[in-house]
Amino acid sequence: MSSGPFTSACSFLLLFLFLGLGSRICYGSGFGFNIHHRFSDPGSVEYYAAMSHRDRLIRGRHLAASNNQTSPRTFFKGNKTAKINSLGFLHYANVSVGTPSLSFWVALDTGSDLFWLPCDCKPGSCVTGLQMSSGSIIDLSIYSPSNSSTSKNVSCNSTLCGQTTPSCPSANGNCPYNVPYPSNNTSSTGILVEDILHLITDDDQRKAVEARITFGCGQNQTARNGRASNSFALCFGRDGFGRISFGNNGSSDQSETPFNIRQSLQTYNISITQITVGKNFSKLEFSAIFDSGSSFTSLRDPAYTFISKSFNSQIQEKRHRSDPQMPFEYCYYLRENQTSYVIPDVNLTMKGGGRYSLNNPTVIVTTKGGELLYCLGLHKSKVNIDIIGQNFMTGYRIVFDRERMVLGWKDSNCYND
């Protein structure tokens, strides 16, 4: 089985990460598949620290636009996804790109529109295999435009050659890109290409559908096309399973808040007007990005301190000693055979008045000494941005409606969506 990332036919913005690195997608409407997430299993301090570090690595963000269609679609390989524990708290799906087609494993990330495939890699510059805990190795696909009969380079004079372009050698030259990742002092460079994304109709007839996409050959991507409507929904179940559906506008009874439209930060950015933690509340106002590619939520002060200290003041269990090796600041001991604990309700009030209640803000952690802890799954932001991560989306169907420019949410077990 081969692996790697992929991109989408068009419409909304959805990033895909290649094996925890960077990749992106833009897609549209009317198809869905199951997603499996590993939030429910206790993990080691090292595991959560690694996931927390990975959250800070990818920070390139802007939206891609597209047209509106409503035909149901799913991926050619089917609508199931695989859980890869060694790659952390992200949802992976299998997609096919090119002619002949290559399969790539991708992770969903609404926090960025950067999508790239490993492409014509120089020796040692790309991961070619993933070793599993069983010892077996999964070979990963490497894309090459010269090996795909449907591949076409994007020229500098194309409208697809956008703001990520550093400098074009000539109007008819290949469109280059260079996307820096300041948090870990790395960057992604290459050229933009077009190729075929292989889909199939999500009905009894199961007809093959080919959608042309634009993505980065090397380490990045932008995408657009007219295959689906400009809205999608992600559902994160409490049991670690979920779903994604393209073209889903949600339901009339969902709560909603408008997106903040900013040219300098074109992502799924919303405004929070109030925070309530148990008996404490504060009329803090700030903006935050809904980023499914971040495992955990990351907030700046004063929001971080207010939530953390209010949470801590209402906990009965003994707090774990301060430890710089711990990925979370506020952790508490669980007694032997203790199967439950009581925490205060944490609610975010969105612009427009909608209340967003956190269904599962804590994480179970096991220390090196075998101690079992539960922690507030919240980081203090080290960059000038606030992020609502995947752990704060548990138990909701989140709708990213780019037609009406609103974020919608509704309680869901994901099986009924």
Side-chain angles (χ1 to χ4, degrees):
M1 179 171 59
S2 58
S3 330
F6 115 98
T7 180
S8 146
C10 176
S11 100
F12 60 78
L13 170 173
L14 185 60
L15 166 72
F16 284 113
L17 301 179
F18 173 62
L19 296 179
L21 303 180
S23 31
R24 152 228 177 173
I25 171 178
C26 159
Y27 235 135
S29 136
F31 61 89
F33 56 91
N34 296 326
I35 51 183
H36 187 195
H37 193 221
R38 189 180 177 267
F39 271 135
S40 54
D41 300 333
S44 66
V45 170
E46 292 80 5
Y47 178 81
Y48 289 111
M51 290 308 97
S52 300
H53 176 68
R54 188 210 60 77
D55 282 350
R56 294 189 284 267
L57 296 186
I58 307 301
R59 289 291 179 265
R61 309 175 187 280
H62 76 82
L63 295 181
S66 69
N67 301 321
N68 179 20
Q69 275 194 353
T70 56
S71 299
R73 300 286 188 269
T74 190
F75 295 122
F76 190 82
K77 292 283 187 178
N79 61 7
K80 295 183 179 179
T81 65
K83 180 182 72 170
I84 304 176
N85 290 351
S86 59
L87 300 183
F89 275 37
L90 293 177
H91 296 260
Y92 289 83
N94 191 348
V95 301
S96 303
V97 177
T99 307
S101 66
L102 285 178
S103 295
F104 296 88
W105 282 108
V106 300
L108 312 178
D109 181 0
T110 59
S112 175
D113 65 353
L114 303 177
F115 169 64
W116 54 269
L117 298 179
C119 175
D120 288 341
C121 302
K122 296 178 181 179
S125 63
C126 291
V127 177
T128 58
L130 176 67
Q131 185 169 0
M132 308 303 288
S133 57
S134 62
S136 61
I137 295 178
I138 296 177
D139 293 328
L140 305 179
S141 299
I142 303 297
Y143 178 83
S144 177
S146 62
N147 292 335
S148 174
S149 63
T150 50
S151 177
K152 177 184 176 182
N153 289 358
V154 174
S155 65
C156 285
N157 59 12
S158 169
T159 57
L160 297 177
C161 191
Q163 296 180 356
T164 57
T165 303
S167 60
C168 281
S170 66
N172 295 322
N174 293 331
C175 179
Y177 72 90
N178 180 9
V179 180
Y181 297 94
S183 59
N184 66 339
N185 198 30
T186 61
S187 65
S188 170
T189 60
I191 62 172
L192 299 185
V193 300
E194 293 185 48
D195 210 336
I196 296 297
L197 171 68
H198 298 276
L199 305 175
I200 197 168
T201 56
D202 194 12
D203 52 30
D204 294 338
Q205 296 182 350
R206 307 287 288 175
K207 293 182 179 179
V209 178
E210 293 183 347
R212 288 205 69 83
I213 60 172
T214 305
F215 58 94
C217 172
Q219 295 169 322
N220 180 28
Q221 184 256 333
T222 34
R224 55 170 295 163
N225 197 305
R227 285 286 174 183
S229 74
N230 211 1
S231 182
F232 67 100
L234 293 170
C235 190
F236 301 95
R238 290 178 174 87
D239 60 357
F241 289 88
R243 290 188 62 83
I244 180 171
S245 57
F246 299 100
N248 189 332
N249 299 107
S251 56
S252 60
D253 59 344
Q254 70 184 8
S255 299
E256 294 180 346
T257 191
F259 288 131
N260 297 322
I261 310 301
R262 300 179 179 180
Q263 292 182 352
S264 61
L265 194 62
Q266 298 180 18
T267 44
Y268 299 120
N269 187 301
I270 54 84
S271 291
I272 296 170
T273 60
Q274 181 175 294
I275 301 175
T276 304
V277 182
K279 60 187 179 181
N280 299 341
F281 78 94
S282 176
K283 288 187 175 296
L284 295 172
E285 295 191 20
F286 60 97
S287 62
I289 291 174
F290 264 68
D291 181 5
S292 66
S294 290
S295 305
F296 306 107
T297 296
S298 178
L299 300 177
R300 296 170 292 178
D301 274 335
Y304 173 81
T305 295
F306 173 76
I307 293 177
S308 299
K309 290 191 174 181
S310 297
F311 184 90
N312 181 67
S313 68
Q314 300 173 65
I315 295 300
Q316 299 300 315
E317 283 77 18
K318 180 182 178 182
R319 183 179 171 187
H320 185 266
R321 62 191 178 280
S322 179
D323 184 352
Q325 300 301 317
M326 289 290 293
F328 306 107
E329 184 177 1
Y330 289 86
C331 296
Y332 308 90
Y333 290 97
L334 287 171
R335 301 183 305 276
E336 186 177 359
N337 299 322
Q338 183 177 352
T339 58
S340 64
Y341 49 93
V342 177
I343 61 173
D345 293 333
V346 182
N347 300 299
L348 309 177
T349 301
M350 305 296 189
K351 184 178 181 179
R355 172 171 283 199
Y356 187 92
S357 301
L358 305 186
N359 291 308
N360 186 19
T362 61
V363 180
I364 302 297
V365 177
T366 304
T367 68
K368 286 184 178 180
E371 298 168 320
L372 196 61
L373 312 173
Y374 72 90
C375 303
L376 176 62
L378 179 64
H379 292 145
K380 186 173 184 178
S381 179
K382 295 182 179 180
V383 293
N384 190 32
I385 194 171
D386 296 290
I387 293 173
I388 304 298
Q390 227 175 74
N391 67 322
F392 277 20
M393 302 183 198
T394 300
Y396 281 112
R397 181 191 64 205
I398 311 291
V399 177
F400 299 83
D401 191 332
R402 288 176 40 79
E403 294 178 348
R404 297 190 298 122
M405 296 307 293
V406 298
L407 179 85
W409 66 94
K410 182 181 178 181
D411 286 314
S412 177
N413 63 10
C414 301
Y415 294 98
N416 297 331
D417 284 3

